[in-house]
Amino acid sequence: MKKPKATSSSDKKAATPPKLLVLHGPNLNLLGTREPDYYGLATLADINLALARRAAAAGVELESFQSNHEGALIERVHAAREQGVRYIIINPAAYTHTSVALRDAMAATGIPFIEVHLSNVHARESFRHHSYFSDLALGVITGLGSEGYLLALEYLLSQITTD
Ligand code: DQA
């Protein structure tokens, strides 16, 4: 009988699926009913399900987290580093334009991320034109509705396979 192959530490590493985190900022729990002309009709659950299915098909672990509280989002970013999250997709929502603290958390953990907005923030009020995140982001997708999250995920999956 053939002896079973011993598992090396590199085998174990290869068996651990890469982790991705999707962060949704304030009021995004209301998607589906919130200003559909800007944000569309997909609910947050619809978006998270589509992302989870695509990630699962690619063998990647993906968790989504939404909060209306700045501190909770910051703490989730800190936890992501402990968990070895490889990439983050973040829609900071209104915190895009206000939160130095959430920006600092992204910078401190150094996890590469893509910034996503459902609406085209540049076609809206001038206070939405500035983002505290864009200069740190790998890239920004704005105005493509819920498709934007899936496009961000596709890009990250392509990065993971070539990493
Ligand atoms: C948003 C745009 C922000 O200006 C706004 O505050 C949001 C959502 C978007 O996805 O289009 O809450 O990030």
Side-chain angles (χ1 to χ4, degrees):
M1 202 179 116
K2 242 182 157 184
K3 244 173 105 186
K5 207 178 143 210
T7 317
S8 73
S9 62
S10 62
D11 287 343
K12 274 188 200 144
K13 205 176 158 205
T16 310
K19 290 189 180 67
L20 299 184
L21 174 66
V22 184
L23 288 177
H24 304 282
N27 302 307
L28 295 174
N29 54 312
L30 301 179
L31 288 179
T33 59
R34 178 189 179 199
E35 299 180 273
D37 287 351
Y38 283 125
Y39 304 120
L41 291 170
T43 64
L44 192 62
D46 294 334
I47 293 170
N48 288 339
L49 184 63
L51 290 169
R53 285 193 172 139
R54 179 64 189 103
V60 165
E61 204 177 301
L62 180 143
E63 193 192 321
S64 295
F65 178 80
Q66 188 276 331
S67 181
N68 296 321
H69 302 277
E70 196 173 21
L73 290 162
I74 290 167
E75 279 168 8
R76 190 64 194 82
V77 173
H78 295 176
R81 182 167 64 179
E82 304 309 310
Q83 295 170 333
V85 166
R86 189 88 77 86
Y87 292 106
I88 295 177
I89 296 171
I90 182 169
N91 182 348
Y95 290 142
T96 307
H97 321 297
T98 64
S99 183
V100 175
L102 185 54
R103 174 204 164 86
D104 283 354
M106 299 302 284
T109 55
I111 299 171
F113 69 92
I114 299 184
E115 176 183 348
V116 171
H117 301 283
L118 295 139
S119 65
N120 179 354
V121 287
H122 299 290
R124 300 182 62 190
E125 304 95 321
S126 57
F127 66 83
R128 296 185 203 275
H129 298 177
H130 176 260
S131 164
Y132 279 106
F133 298 83
S134 300
D135 62 310
L136 299 177
L138 288 174
V140 181
I141 300 176
T142 186
L144 303 184
S146 55
E147 275 288 306
Y149 290 97
L150 285 162
L151 293 168
L153 177 58
E154 262 341 298
Y155 176 77
L156 295 180
L157 293 177
S158 75
Q159 292 304 109
I160 285 169
T161 51
T162 57
D163 270 352

